[in-house]
Amino acid sequence: MKTKENKIEGQSKLKQFGEKALNVVQKITQSTFVSTIMEGFILVMPIIITSTIFILAAELAPSFGYKWKDSDGNVIIEGYAMYSAFCWRMYNLSYGILGFALVIALSSRMTEKISSKLKSNQKMNIIIVCISTAIAYLLTSVPNTVSVVAGATELNVLSLITAIFGAKGIFIAMLTGLSVPWIFFLCYKFNITIRLPKQVPQNISQAFLNIFPTFFIIIIYGVLGWVFVQFWVTQC
């Protein structure tokens, strides 16, 4: 009898623990930042899926033993070399800008979420916020110089684009994509803007409204990017 009661009590405690854990997970997923990250990755999912098709197209035949290079790496079948280069170009210019695409997706979703908290006449312009976020991403991710392999006569631009804007830039994309809209939000909320008379056309008035937020973003992320490039990258 006691064994049965202990079993029922243990199941009840396990159920309570499961309910508490579920409530915690729900609160986390309902967080503005977490939900924005989830939605941002969902938005760029088509890029991830479609770009991998080109890798399969380029590497499927060699994986089955088809050889278009000799043992020294020299091309022996020019036609397949051109085909492989085409596929990798498609991949590098799609998946290779995943970080840049993600920063735009995160910025747009975050702007839509927090803009509703402002007054009707203070709605943030999603286009200028995304452009400012892209600038912040570039300021914090693009190095001043690029190392070239000794003896190389050419710089592989596709590899350079992938290194800066690809999957390696996801962390910076998350930081800038989630934070830049909040700078606009704070400037709008506390009226740190340039407001023109009502007689001025709305598009011109909107442009002046975004001067201070954009200026703060360039300064903040410009300094962070400079510190990162000068100290972290140099030491690495």
Side-chain angles (χ1 to χ4, degrees), residues 80-233:
Y80 195 88
M82 293 179 62
Y83 166 74
S84 178
F86 170 79
C87 291
W88 278 103
R89 175 181 171 82
M90 297 300 103
Y91 169 77
N92 286 324
L93 293 178
S94 53
Y95 186 83
I97 61 166
L98 179 63
F100 193 78
L102 181 62
V103 76
I104 299 298
L106 292 174
S107 176
S108 63
R109 295 301 299 138
M110 180 61 79
T111 302
E112 291 176 0
K113 289 178 183 294
I114 64 178
S115 183
S116 60
K117 300 178 182 179
L118 296 170
K119 298 178 181 178
S120 58
N121 62 340
Q122 292 181 322
K123 297 301 181 183
M124 301 190 306
N125 188 318
I126 191 170
I127 296 177
I128 187 63
V129 175
C130 289
I131 292 174
S132 300
T133 307
I135 293 173
Y137 177 80
L138 294 174
L139 287 171
T140 51
S141 60
V142 177
N144 293 333
T145 59
V146 178
S147 300
V148 180
V149 179
T153 57
E154 296 180 342
L155 178 64
N156 192 327
V157 178
L158 296 180
S159 297
L160 180 62
I161 291 174
T162 303
I164 296 175
F165 302 110
K168 292 181 179 179
I170 286 180
F171 180 71
I172 295 178
M174 292 172 62
L175 289 179
T176 53
L178 296 175
S179 60
V180 168
W182 282 98
I183 296 178
F184 273 87
F185 176 82
L186 293 174
C187 288
Y188 275 51
K189 184 176 181 179
F190 296 103
N191 291 320
I192 310 176
T193 56
I194 299 176
R195 293 192 175 275
L196 300 180
K198 294 182 179 179
Q199 294 77 7
V200 178
Q202 186 177 1
N203 56 345
I204 298 177
S205 178
Q206 184 70 33
F208 277 85
L209 201 64
N210 296 313
I211 288 178
F212 277 136
T214 305
F215 174 76
F216 293 147
I217 287 165
I218 293 176
I219 292 296
I220 293 171
Y221 293 94
V223 171
L224 290 175
W226 179 260
V227 171
F228 175 76
V229 169
Q230 292 296 317
F231 295 96
W232 192 351
V233 175

Side-chain angles (χ1 to χ4, degrees), residues 36-56:
T36 301
I37 293 173
M38 292 170 57
E39 293 169 6
F41 275 99
I42 291 173
L43 287 174
V44 299
M45 190 65 69
I47 298 176
I48 299 173
I49 295 174
T50 54
S51 60
T52 54
I53 295 174
F54 294 102
I55 297 181
L56 293 174

